[in-house]
Amino acid sequence: NAGVMQNPRHLVRRRGQEARLRCSPMKGHSHVYWYRQLPEEGLKFMVYLQKENIIDESGMPKERFSAEFPKEGPSILRIQQVVRGDSAAYFCASSEQGVSEAFFGQGTRLTVV
Amino acid sequence: KNEVEQSPQNLTAQEGEFITINCSYSVGISALHWLQQHPGGGIVSLFMLSSGKKKHGRLIATINIQEKHSSLHITASHPRDSAVYICAVWDTDKLIFGTGTRLQVFP
């Protein structure tokens, strides 16, 4: 079991470009969570998804950010028209059930230049 | 006031010392995680617990649901334990994180 896989590990984008972050959950896990860690700040919840469904997106910025978890393939966090303030580490976690042990990926460190 | 408070924020220790990190929370939970993060690194789940006490090697975690408090203890600390330790509580369908405790253990 390879654990939660995130790619890329590092991503550099110019202002205005799009960023796509991928997360493959652990085998057998159908619950995926995205969290953001701004520089020198704690982790903050963004979105919770199950296969093909967004369960809770209360932490997602209203514009430019979207997430999906298709029937086949990884979960994708998409940030359109990135700005400098989007620079952060984005972590994905997965769990077997809703409130159960969560396993985290290595994160994607996004730098907007 | 944060929903999940950790103390201390920073902690330095000599190798071999016994270390305690505390976590108090105000949100209602069913379970709590202790996580470890090395600088620039990923996040590793050390424990998930909903009652009592768990032990793994030199790490011990306890939780008191009534008092909404948990502690992480490290016995015989080692420089490789240097990291940020984060308490996170389940609130309905999401984890709420403390701001972390930065631990440095010197040889």
Side-chain angles (χ1 to χ4, degrees), chain A residues 9 33 35 37 40 42-45 48 55-56 58 91 95 97-107 109, chain B residues 30-31 33 35 37-48 86 90 92-99 102:
Chain A
R9 290 288 305 276
Y33 311 80
Y35 298 94
Q37 187 176 41
E40 303 304 318
L43 288 143
K44 295 283 191 286
F45 168 78
Y48 164 37
I55 307 302
D56 183 343
S58 58
F91 288 93
S95 64
Q97 303 169 30
V99 177
S100 60
E101 186 159 16
F103 295 84
F104 287 77
Q106 289 290 304
R109 278 150 183 87
Chain B
S30 55
H33 273 273
L35 309 167
Q37 184 177 28
H38 283 98
I43 295 169
V44 174
S45 177
L46 300 173
F47 295 102
M48 189 184 87
I86 304 167
W90 281 106
T92 313
D93 59 4
K94 64 179 81 69
L95 284 170
I96 308 294
F97 298 85
T99 50
R102 190 176 302 273

Side-chain angles (χ1 to χ4, degrees), chain A residues 23-42:
Chain A
C23 169
S24 296
M26 283 183 72
K27 190 176 180 181
H29 287 191
S30 59
H31 299 251
V32 166
Y33 311 80
W34 284 94
Y35 298 94
R36 177 164 67 173
Q37 187 176 41
L38 291 166
E40 303 304 318
E41 292 189 22

Side-chain angles (χ1 to χ4, degrees), chain B residues 13-15 79 105-107:
Chain B
Q14 288 295 125
E15 185 173 354
V105 181
F106 294 99

Side-chain angles (χ1 to χ4, degrees), chain A residues 42-94:
Chain A
L43 288 143
K44 295 283 191 286
F45 168 78
M46 298 184 75
V47 63
Y48 164 37
L49 311 103
Q50 292 182 42
K51 280 288 187 183
E52 301 185 272
N53 292 303
I54 295 174
I55 307 302
D56 183 343
E57 57 181 347
S58 58
M60 287 275 270
K62 294 286 181 274
E63 296 176 350
R64 301 187 299 107
F65 284 71
S66 62
E68 63 176 8
F69 188 16
K71 188 176 180 182
E72 300 292 337
S75 175
I76 306 285
L77 179 67
R78 183 181 175 207
I79 311 172
Q80 295 178 287
Q81 299 174 317
V82 295
V83 300
R84 289 239 170 95
D86 297 332
S87 295
Y90 292 83
F91 288 93
C92 168
S94 73

